[in-house]
Amino acid sequence: QSCGNDSVAAVNLTRPLERAPDPGLVVAALARVCAKSGFGGARHVQLQHFIGGPCDENELVTCIVCGGGGCGWTVLPDLERAIELAHTRATRRGEAQ
């Protein structure tokens, strides 16, 4: 898939929020990921919340995980999966890392 085939989601990265609109959603997603084998360190994943364009600012619409090949980021609609991916990308897998 190329960057040109991505769908459009409004995310205004210049409008960060101090906290998640629904902190309970974030706490629950982190707890579910951390409970999975090998994902205990996911509690260290840093989350930043932004107000996105014409979307409902109280509803999670899109997650952007930095890193990876291709575009340099990955867009996901699911917070739990985004936390897992961020943790996986940050986990050291060898001496050279």
Side-chain angles (χ1 to χ4, degrees):
Q1 177 177 353
S2 73
C3 295
N5 293 333
D6 292 341
S7 61
V8 175
V11 178
N12 188 342
L13 298 178
T14 64
R15 295 179 61 194
L17 297 169
E18 287 186 28
R19 65 180 190 85
D22 184 354
L25 176 83
V26 175
V27 169
L30 274 168
R32 284 190 299 272
V33 173
C34 288
K36 294 179 182 181
S37 178
F39 284 92
R43 67 183 176 281
H44 300 295
V45 168
Q46 294 180 9
L47 300 173
Q48 177 64 60
H49 305 276
F50 297 91
I51 296 174
C55 306
D56 179 355
E57 64 187 53
N58 293 314
E59 180 182 345
L60 176 69
V61 175
T62 300
C63 300
I64 299 171
V65 181
C66 298
C71 303
W73 65 85
T74 302
V75 177
L76 299 165
D78 178 68
L79 180 58
E80 216 172 301
R81 179 66 189 115
I83 294 168
E84 289 174 3
L85 180 60
H87 175 266
T88 300
R89 286 184 177 167
T91 300
R92 195 172 155 185
R93 288 178 282 286
E95 292 287 325
Q97 255 183 321

